[in-house]
Amino acid sequence: MDFLHIQIAHIQRHLAFVAVDPIDWKLAVQGFSWTVTLFETYLLLRQYPLYSKTEPPPALTSHFKADEFKKSQDYGRDKAKFALVSGLLKQSLDSALLYFGFYAWSWGVAGWLIAFAGFGSEYEIVQSIVFVFVLYFLSTIPTLPLQVYGTFVLEEKHGFNKTTPGLFVTDMLKGWALAILMGSPFLAAFLYIFKWAGDRFVPWLMAFMITFQLIMVFIYPTVIQPLFNKLSPLKAGELRSRIELLASKLQFPLKHLYEIDGSKRSSHSNAYFFGLPWSKHIVIFDTLIQQNQPNEVEAVLAHELGHWYYYHPAKLMIISQFHIFTILALFPAFLRAPPVLAAFDFPKAVAANPPTIVAFTLFQMILTPLEAFVSIGMNAMSRSFEYQADRFACELEEKLQHEDMKDMGDRLGQALITIHVKNLSTVWVDWLYSAYHHSHPTLTERLRGLESYKAEIQKKKM
């Protein structure tokens, strides 16, 4: 533990200038955020011309009907336009809020609200929680028209939206209620650890974050998910039998197998698993079941179980914990840095003794360009995991010595094609756009990978 604190102290000595130098951090954040936004705009402009193509890639020509491909291109084009406009509008709003001192004003409003409730300025944690929700609600409300347009215009136009206005409002209110009920105790504990642990808060916060994530593994499926969707046991039949047999042969600790009513809100499809190492739950969207044959859904689940087999979720969790550690190790330099708060228009009295939540919020804004690079790296790793899970599905016959698994790669390929066709997914993708935005390889890349895996397996048999 002492070694850890020595290294963190070493980092802080290199960042000592933060607490004394009058850097214009607000201008820097404006520059950082606009640079990221304009780069994302550039990527969209690279991608946009591909929606004018009239034929799919050669490898997909036989799988797309002309009308299906046209619908896919139209949907991609409309989404790109919306992303371009909404991205610039959101950045303009964020920039305006920053310019006019919205964060300093919000801290003042939070202080006024707790004073009205009978709390003094010494209740920093209470004021911090109110501050976060003031920021959350007042920055969310202006973007509601974009959410409404995306759901009831864009998705509706292309036949995906199943959400009613009533359901939209209900979901939003439930989300806000959950944010308050769960976010408040989380923030209180998060901030209390800073006060209790002092300069040695990093390992304690790491332990708290890991514990919270494990608790959420229990709470999400039992408390949160049922508030928005209905999970029903998958009905007995061919699909259930196939999945249970596959899980059994792989010794996957399957506890529950659910079908979720994803069609309640959208026609898009998906499948995933979650749970603790000794107790896993598989969830399949009803849309996936409706759009694919049972043997194809089995192949999709074989791919998902490949992630489990190679410990991909655990690896991603370890990487995310390292990422969190890096952020927390850099933060102490900004925790007691009056010039940072002064740059964002906070009064001298507040800047002289920076509230932890304010310092952390501003620190996260300063990290904007770093987070963009981290996102690219995480996407690259995720894509490599997807290839590995695809290979796993192809190799199931060899791993399990079971004849029924020999065409799993073909079935997975057909399932991927069906999912892309039904979801009107884009099949022409610019490489740089994909590297920045996509956590999965493109359909063409995955089909090419499946073919190479099958060829390798066939070669081994010869």
Side-chain angles (χ1 to χ4, degrees):
M1 192 74 77
D2 287 338
F3 173 78
L4 176 65
H5 294 303
I6 291 171
Q7 299 308 310
I8 293 174
H10 181 68
I11 294 172
Q12 301 318 306
R13 284 194 292 273
H14 286 284
L15 295 175
F17 68 92
V18 173
V20 292
D21 291 355
I23 299 170
D24 192 343
W25 289 106
K26 183 160 75 169
L27 180 61
V29 168
Q30 293 275 32
F32 294 159
S33 58
W34 272 107
T35 297
V36 172
T37 298
L38 292 176
F39 178 67
E40 292 175 350
T41 301
Y42 163 72
L43 294 179
L44 276 168
L45 295 177
R46 284 177 61 102
Q47 173 65 23
Y48 192 79
L50 297 178
Y51 297 120
S52 298
K53 288 184 176 289
T54 56
E55 293 182 353
L60 301 176
T61 302
S62 61
H63 301 294
F64 278 83
K65 297 178 182 178
D67 62 325
E68 291 172 339
F69 179 70
K70 184 179 184 305
K71 288 179 182 178
S72 170
Q73 292 291 81
D74 290 343
Y75 183 45
R77 186 184 303 109
D78 286 348
K79 285 199 300 180
K81 289 178 182 176
F82 179 63
L84 181 65
V85 173
S86 62
L88 290 172
L89 283 176
K90 287 178 182 178
Q91 177 56 41
S92 297
L93 174 63
D94 290 344
S95 189
L97 293 176
L98 196 60
Y99 179 80
F100 290 107
F102 174 66
Y103 294 88
W105 176 84
S106 296
W107 181 256
V109 168
W112 179 82
L113 288 173
I114 67 166
F116 184 78
F119 294 94
S121 58
E122 67 274 15
Y123 289 90
E124 183 186 319
I125 291 179
V126 176
Q127 186 173 353
S128 297
I129 293 171
V130 176
F131 166 73
V132 167
F133 288 117
V134 169
L135 288 180
Y136 174 69
F137 289 118
L138 294 186
S139 60
T140 297
I141 290 172
T143 63
L144 277 177
L146 294 175
Q147 295 180 43
V148 171
Y149 180 89
T151 301
F152 295 105
V153 179
L154 179 58
E155 294 293 302
E156 185 78 31
K157 176 183 176 181
H158 294 279
F160 289 116
N161 177 50
K162 304 297 180 184
T163 303
T164 63
L167 184 59
F168 180 87
V169 173
T170 302
D171 282 351
M172 180 177 65
L173 294 177
K174 287 179 181 178
W176 287 355
L178 281 171
I180 294 172
L181 294 174
M182 299 190 68
S184 298
F186 172 82
L187 282 170
F190 181 81
L191 295 171
Y192 176 78
I193 290 172
F194 278 100
K195 303 296 181 186
W196 171 76
D199 292 336
R200 301 194 165 213
F201 64 83
V202 174
W204 295 104
L205 269 178
M206 290 293 298
F208 168 70
M209 296 293 286
I210 293 172
T211 302
F212 178 77
Q213 289 177 354
L214 293 176
I215 291 173
M216 287 301 295
V217 170
F218 288 102
I219 292 178
Y220 181 79
T222 57
V223 179
I224 299 176
Q225 182 88 67
L227 293 174
F228 298 92
N229 290 97
K230 180 182 179 182
L231 277 75
S232 306
L234 184 63
K235 295 177 182 178
E238 181 185 357
L239 178 58
R240 186 178 186 94
S241 298
R242 283 178 173 274
I243 295 172
E244 288 178 339
L245 178 61
L246 177 62
S248 175
K249 287 185 174 297
L250 289 171
Q251 298 183 337
F252 177 77
L254 177 61
K255 185 174 183 180
H256 291 116
L257 182 53
Y258 293 114
E259 177 182 345
I260 189 172
D261 60 342
S263 59
K264 180 179 179 180
R265 290 174 176 78
S266 172
S267 297
H268 293 296
S269 55
N270 198 7
Y272 61 92
F273 71 88
F274 64 91
L276 295 170
W278 57 88
S279 177
K280 298 292 186 182
H281 312 267
I282 291 177
V283 179
I284 308 172
F285 279 53
D286 55 357
T287 46
L288 183 65
I289 297 172
Q290 294 160 9
Q291 295 167 2
N292 293 267
Q293 297 298 318
N295 63 347
E296 294 171 358
V297 178
E298 179 192 17
V300 172
L301 266 298
H303 166 90
E304 294 301 323
L305 295 186
H307 290 305
W308 163 80
Y309 184 84
Y310 289 114
Y311 302 103
H312 291 162
K315 291 175 182 177
L316 288 173
M317 183 175 181
I318 291 171
I319 293 168
S320 71
Q321 294 307 313
F322 178 76
H323 179 218
I324 292 171
F325 169 78
T326 303
I327 291 173
L328 293 178
L330 293 172
F331 177 54
F334 294 80
L335 180 57
R336 299 180 184 86
V340 175
L341 273 72
F344 288 92
D345 308 308
F346 280 84
K348 289 183 178 180
V350 178
N353 187 25
T356 301
I357 193 63
V358 171
F360 194 73
T361 301
L362 301 181
F363 171 63
Q364 286 183 302
M365 293 164 60
I366 292 168
L367 288 181
T368 298
L370 176 62
E371 292 301 296
F373 283 108
V374 170
S375 175
I376 294 173
M378 292 298 289
N379 280 343
M381 177 166 291
S382 177
R383 285 194 296 273
S384 72
F385 287 170
E386 293 302 318
Y387 281 125
Q388 195 173 18
D390 283 350
R391 176 185 283 273
F392 173 83
C394 292
E395 295 175 344
L396 273 178
E397 181 190 8
E398 180 182 351
K399 291 180 182 297
L400 301 179
Q401 296 297 308
H402 200 286
E403 185 70 15
D404 289 347
M405 304 293 171
K406 67 179 180 180
D407 62 343
M408 193 65 79
D410 292 329
R411 284 188 266 155
L412 177 58
Q414 184 56 53
L416 292 174
I417 291 167
T418 302
I419 291 170
H420 274 70
V421 170
K422 296 297 183 181
N423 289 342
L424 300 183
S425 301
T426 299
V427 292
W428 283 107
V429 185
D430 173 73
W431 72 270
L432 187 57
Y433 178 90
S434 180
Y436 185 83
H437 285 289
H438 292 169
S439 60
H440 287 54
T442 65
L443 177 59
T444 305
E445 290 169 339
R446 291 186 72 177
L447 293 179
R448 189 184 304 125
L450 288 171
E451 289 299 322
S452 69
Y453 305 148
K454 288 185 290 184
E456 288 178 23
I457 294 170
Q458 192 63 34
K459 188 176 180 181
K460 287 180 182 179
K461 292 179 178 180
M462 294 175 65

